[in-house]
Amino acid sequence: MSDKTQFPFFSQTVPKEGAQYLGIIKLLQYFRWTFTGLFAADTDNGEHFIRTFTPVLAQNGICVVFAQPFLMNTKNFKYLFSVFHKWRQINVFVYYVEFTSFINGILITDYIFERLRKRVQEKVWITTALWDLAKEIKYSDFPFRYTHSIFSFLIQTKKWTSYDGFKYFYHLMRKFTYKHFHCSYAKPALSVKGWARCSEKENLETLPQEKIERIFSLDNSLIYNAIWTVARALNTAYSSLSLRTIKARKDMLEVQKLQPWQLHPFLKDPQIYNNTMDGMYANGNGNLMADFDILSWVWFPNRSATRVKFGSLAREKSASIKFSINKEAIMWSKWNNQPWPYSRCVEACQPGYFKVVQEGKPNCCYDCIPCAEGSISTQEDADHCTKCPEDQRQDKNRDQCIPKIITFLSYHENLGVILTSFALFLILTSSFILGIFSKYRETPIIKANNQDLSYVILVSLLLSFCTSFLFIGRPRRATCLLRQTVFSIIFSVAVSSVLAKTIMVVLAFLATKPGNRVRRWLGKGLANSIILSCSSIQVILCSIWLVVFPPFPGSDMHSQSGEIILQCNEGSTAMFYIALIYMGFLATICFIVAFLARNLPGAFNEAKLITFSMLVFCSVWISFVPTYLSTKGKYMVAVQVFSILASSTGLLGCIFIPKCYIILLRPDLNTKEQLILKNEMGN
């Protein structure tokens, strides 16, 4: 009948069952019933309901485990047995009923539940019935043993708060029927006047209360609405006629007769429906809609039943639909005063997790997987997790994003305090050694080993200890520009000075041999040339680095989870490693030369000491590279600071501590005679 092409003149007096779809979905979602079964009467309407409503439920996240019309046969029973045995979590059924089929579905399911081995939880039925179910519950010889609750929808009727309106309508209809249907005109042969013979079947004032209630029931109110709708349409149709045929009679105007088909365009007018249909209205498509009360049916041991309104589904002024529920108003049956049943395949995924459907099962059967690092979910049963912004991280519950912790190698943390203290101690130590060398500069042990180069090395080492402070603290533009280049240049000067010192030791030994021309190379010029030439290359490399690829402050938001690492972007990783490789190249040459000269005779031969110092230096920086690459954040900076301090300490300790020992604790060895004696014994 809904097919307008086949039945263009069909007009509804009640809404189609689709008007309740939204209310059923909202009801299921409110109680979090996502695991349901669909029952329907074995009719064309029931099949249509199953076919159309199943995808609607699926679109709203509700799983329909089965959708079954009521068939009173063995095959149907076996199918339902298998379904209920497997899916014991189904505790809510959506039930499409017609006037004659309400009890059938509940009867069949109770019959099956009675024969299942394990105890079955009482079920909830949400029906599409738009009529009063109290009589069906009252007059059914059925115990409702496995029925927890029955919910239904009822059209809101606002005009029936008293009988006055309907009494007026009733008396009008009585006068109409008296005149046109139940009256016959008779004129006896011997009489001048005729009279009307009428029979009045019922009188409203004398009817029993039960019959009056039936007259004022929803069904009769719908008839009342329909009559008023047709009346309004007729009035509008006649008012719109442009031509009237007027026939002169004594006291009567006869209006042009209206053909039935001419009435239908007016019946399609939404305004006519909206002004006459109590609790119902026509939408823009001409379909009849309604405002519904959501009811819970409660029955008692004496077989009486009553309805309790606990919610509504009503149209607002903005044309949107408002769904509301008063949880406190819900009344369960007297033996079911527990919380509402649970009808889910699995427990809901809490915020911080997302759903992954279990293979081979309905969509509502899923596993809960924690959100990945850096992402969150803020609602139950989330389909996916949302990634946090770059400057935020997930909290421990993975349900909200919080600002990331800003980290850098600070002076206030334990690691920064340790490195700072170590650097200050080494600065004081190198300053102390420099002071000793200045005070005892006229002693043989200092004069015999190129005094000026010793001062250059000590100052370079002192400055290298100071460069560690460029790496500690919040990265700034100035510190980022200076720290790698200053460190590289100072270390190159230090290593170049050690290389010059080693070469000078070798040349000094060769110069002692008669006739050797190496003596003319000895002097400050050669040493200065070695230092300047080797250091200049590093200065040129660092200058290119600063001009072409200047380092700058930056932040790393991805390396460490939950942290924003403030660091210096080196500008060019290649330039960083080139500078490091060049410094390693100088150290390697220095180590090879010192190693070859370690057995040269002499009282104060520094070749052995330089060999050990360069061994320490090279070991530190060789281990630095893999350690540096395997660490992240502030620990990368700490590794470099430690390498600077450790390698510088190796040079300071191996080259200068033995001399300080002789100067301070063994002054008897720091004499010219002792020097000559050692040389003669060596020869």
Side-chain angles (χ1 to χ4, degrees), residues 187-441:
K187 182 180 179 183
L190 300 178
S191 174
V192 177
K193 292 184 178 182
W195 67 85
R197 186 181 300 277
C198 301
S199 61
E200 184 179 345
K201 289 189 174 182
E202 292 179 338
N203 190 331
L204 188 63
E205 286 77 6
T206 61
L207 288 177
Q209 183 65 26
E210 183 177 342
K211 203 162 188 179
I212 292 177
E213 289 180 0
R214 190 158 65 246
I215 290 174
F216 297 142
S217 69
L218 175 66
D219 304 333
N220 282 327
S221 72
L222 294 177
I223 296 171
Y224 174 68
N225 286 340
I227 292 173
W228 270 111
T229 302
V230 174
R232 181 67 65 90
L234 282 167
N235 182 65
T236 306
Y238 276 114
S239 300
S240 65
L241 289 177
S242 57
L243 297 176
R244 293 174 179 239
T245 304
I246 303 175
K247 295 183 179 180
R249 290 192 178 180
K250 292 180 181 179
D251 56 352
M252 179 179 177
L253 289 175
E254 183 178 338
V255 182
Q256 177 183 345
K257 229 174 191 182
L258 187 72
Q259 299 300 318
W261 59 268
Q262 293 177 295
L263 183 63
H264 292 288
F266 299 96
L267 284 174
K268 292 180 181 179
D269 184 1
Q271 284 299 114
I272 291 178
Y273 273 91
N274 296 346
N275 291 331
T276 57
M277 288 288 189
D278 183 22
M280 291 180 286
Y281 53 90
N283 64 8
N285 299 322
N287 297 319
L288 195 59
M289 307 298 288
D291 295 338
F292 293 103
D293 290 331
I294 305 174
L295 307 177
S296 173
W297 295 92
V298 182
W299 55 95
F300 305 98
N302 64 358
R303 309 306 301 155
S304 63
T306 185
R307 67 192 187 204
V308 178
K309 175 185 173 182
F310 68 92
S312 63
L313 187 72
R315 177 184 58 166
E316 293 184 316
K317 292 182 178 179
S318 60
S320 61
I321 303 297
K322 181 182 179 182
F323 173 83
S324 60
I325 279 184
N326 180 8
K327 186 170 63 175
E328 305 300 326
I330 302 176
M331 286 183 61
W332 310 101
S333 300
K334 71 177 187 63
W335 58 84
N336 285 323
N337 280 326
Q338 70 265 23
W340 53 75
Y342 177 90
S343 190
R344 299 175 66 96
C345 181
V346 292
E347 289 286 347
C349 291
Q350 297 301 311
Y353 294 79
F354 69 100
K355 300 186 301 184
V356 175
V357 177
Q358 298 174 5
E359 188 175 354
K361 293 188 177 181
N363 290 338
C364 293
C365 299
Y366 46 78
D367 296 317
C368 298
I369 308 299
C371 289
E373 199 68 38
S375 58
I376 63 166
S377 64
T378 58
Q379 59 185 13
E380 288 189 348
D381 288 339
D383 293 320
H384 55 82
C385 296
T386 305
K387 198 167 184 62
C388 288
E390 282 193 344
D391 60 341
Q392 295 183 2
R393 63 184 177 91
Q394 60 182 192
D395 65 348
K396 65 177 182 179
N397 295 325
R398 302 172 187 263
D399 58 359
Q400 61 178 334
C401 294
I402 58 177
K404 288 183 177 180
I405 301 171
I406 296 177
T407 63
F408 54 90
L409 187 58
S410 170
Y411 289 104
H412 304 291
E413 60 180 295
N414 293 336
L415 186 58
V417 170
I418 292 171
L419 293 175
T420 302
S421 302
F422 190 27
L424 288 173
F425 172 75
L426 293 174
I427 289 172
L428 293 174
T429 302
S430 57
S431 300
F432 177 71
I433 293 173
L434 185 59
I436 291 174
F437 268 60
S438 298
K439 184 177 180 180
Y440 296 95
R441 62 181 177 274

Side-chain angles (χ1 to χ4, degrees), residues 24 28 33-40 49-50 53-54 57 62-70 79-80 83-84 87-96 105 109 113 123-128 342-345 362 364:
I24 295 173
L28 292 170
W33 292 328
T34 58
F35 215 54
T36 62
L38 256 60
F39 282 111
F49 170 77
I50 288 176
F53 196 40
T54 300
L57 289 174
I62 299 166
C63 287
V64 178
V65 183
F66 68 94
Q68 185 70 20
F70 288 131
Y79 170 72
L80 292 177
V83 169
F84 294 144
W87 303 111
R88 304 184 68 84
Q89 305 97 316
I90 308 172
N91 292 319
V92 176
F93 301 131
V94 179
Y95 185 18
Y96 176 83
T109 53
F113 295 147
K123 309 302 179 183
V124 174
W125 295 83
I126 302 176
T127 77
T128 59
Y342 177 90
S343 190
R344 299 175 66 96
C345 181
C364 293

Side-chain angles (χ1 to χ4, degrees), residues 47 106 126 131 225 239 270 345 438 527 555 575 577 615:
E47 291 180 2
I106 303 177
I126 302 176
W131 62 89
N225 286 340
S239 300
C345 181
S438 298
S555 59
M575 292 302 298
Y577 284 107
L615 182 63

Side-chain angles (χ1 to χ4, degrees), residues 473-489:
R474 191 183 188 95
R476 309 287 182 186
R477 182 173 180 81
T479 55
C480 288
L481 280 171
L482 294 175
R483 68 183 192 180
Q484 295 292 359
T485 52
V486 169
F487 148 73
S488 300
I489 293 171

Side-chain angles (χ1 to χ4, degrees), residues 27 104 140 176 195 197 240 266 268 421 478 514 519 589 631 637 658 674 676:
L27 202 59
N104 294 349
S140 65
F176 178 78
W195 67 85
R197 186 181 300 277
S240 65
F266 299 96
K268 292 180 181 179
S421 302
R519 182 181 295 272
I589 294 176
T631 54
V637 181
Q674 187 68 27
I676 295 172

